[in-house]
Amino acid sequence: MEEKAKGEEKKVGVIETWLRKHRLLFNGATRHPLILSIRDGSINIASFKSWLAQDYLFVRAFVPFVASVLIKAWKESDESGDMEVILGGVASLEDEISWFKREASKWGISLSEVVPQQANKKYCGLLESLMSPDVEYSVAITAFWAIEAVYQESFAHCIGEGSKTPEELKGTCERWGNEAFAKYCLSLQNIAERRLQKASDEELKKAEAMFLNVLEYEVDFWNMSRGNV
Ligand SMILES: Cc1ncc(CN)c(N)n1
């Protein structure tokens, strides 16, 4: 292998630095007991159904949030490619909502009767606050990446080697654990990283705090369904 010239080593990015610094918190969100119970097959189906119903409401609130990130990209981005990636995200949410409806009917859940629980309301409130034009693109795209990355890492774990995920839950895990979704998350990470490289110290602090907020809210979201056993 060719030896790298001095000073040519790849710099560790902002996001990679956060992932190393907050590894335990990231693992807390992506290796939550609910996810581990899917992976080892011990999942209580009532918990799964509760998660599914609550997540449908979350995803409906997620659509306008992603649309607001698209607007920020249009206004603020220095790279036109950002819009295509985010637009692809908006488009795939239509498919996701249809998937939730099909899945709910399969499990006998009446989505029109689902009442949002406290942790869900709180998380949707966070999404709404991020839609404000006062929130910087760097902060919003960081939140967007983190929200998607938690699901990708979580569900990919359920279909990874040695998993005993029940057959009827494999489709759910594939939805976020598949390779294409992993690539999409990487595209979002690259956009966020590029913006963070140019951000002021104050913006960087806000974005890091937002990353931690997302991890905390994701844990609360998983906990909400676990409590419903
Ligand atoms: C709570 C939550 N977090 C993330 C995702 C992935 N879009 C989701 N559907 N729900």
Side-chain angles (χ1 to χ4, degrees):
M1 224 177 24
E2 241 176 71
E3 214 176 291
K4 272 194 182 136
K6 236 188 171 169
E8 219 186 294
E9 282 91 16
K10 205 164 176 271
K11 239 180 85 190
V12 178
V14 176
I15 291 183
E16 190 50 45
T17 306
W18 292 348
L19 287 170
R20 291 180 190 180
K21 183 172 158 196
H22 304 299
R23 177 51 60 188
L24 281 179
L25 291 175
F26 190 72
N27 287 351
T30 58
R31 298 291 184 267
H32 185 274
L34 189 79
I35 282 298
L36 299 181
S37 74
I38 294 177
R39 186 184 149 86
D40 71 15
S42 68
I43 175 90
N44 179 311
I45 288 301
S47 299
F48 174 78
K49 284 165 76 170
S50 160
W51 162 80
L52 187 81
Q54 291 295 321
D55 210 40
Y56 168 72
L57 297 183
F58 177 85
V59 171
R60 290 194 77 88
F62 194 55
V63 176
F65 161 69
V66 178
S68 78
V69 183
L70 183 67
I71 294 172
K72 289 188 206 302
W74 173 62
K75 286 198 169 165
E76 293 183 40
S77 181
D78 45 343
E79 290 270 348
S80 60
D82 290 14
M83 275 189 71
E84 274 77 353
V85 173
I86 301 163
L87 186 59
V90 177
S92 68
L93 286 170
E94 190 196 355
D95 182 56
E96 196 160 306
I97 286 179
S98 303
W99 176 84
F100 270 101
K101 288 180 179 165
R102 283 197 307 276
E103 202 65 17
S105 114
K106 201 170 100 185
W107 291 100
I109 300 166
S110 168
L111 289 174
S112 59
E113 287 169 47
V114 181
V115 178
Q117 291 191 31
Q118 203 49 44
N120 200 357
K121 279 196 212 159
K122 215 175 120 195
Y123 206 168
C124 292
L126 178 74
L127 294 180
E128 204 168 340
S129 70
L130 285 166
M131 291 184 218
S132 161
D134 296 338
V135 174
E136 297 85 347
Y137 179 43
S138 58
V139 176
I141 191 78
T142 296
F144 185 17
W145 157 73
I147 292 169
E148 298 291 43
V150 166
Y151 262 41
Q152 199 282 320
E153 284 273 344
S154 301
F155 286 109
H157 187 57
C158 297
I159 47 176
E161 235 189 88
S163 81
K164 296 187 189 125
T165 297
E167 208 47 48
E168 64 272 30
L169 303 189
K170 279 191 182 155
T172 300
C173 302
E174 286 284 348
R175 167 137 221 112
W176 290 280
N178 74 70
E179 265 308 304
F181 193 72
K183 271 195 185 156
Y184 167 61
C185 290
L186 199 60
S187 305
L188 292 178
Q189 181 173 336
N190 290 337
I191 296 174
E193 181 65 35
R194 202 190 70 243
R195 296 302 301 196
L196 293 166
Q197 291 287 344
K198 294 178 185 169
S200 65
D201 284 350
E202 197 196 333
E203 232 174 280
L204 274 174
K205 267 193 202 132
K206 278 197 230 172
E208 185 174 5
M210 187 50 64
F211 170 57
L212 296 178
N213 259 340
V214 166
L215 297 183
E216 183 193 323
Y217 283 41
E218 287 288 342
V219 170
D220 290 348
F221 201 92
W222 295 128
N223 282 343
M224 174 179 67
S225 304
R226 250 185 112 217
N228 246 26
V229 199

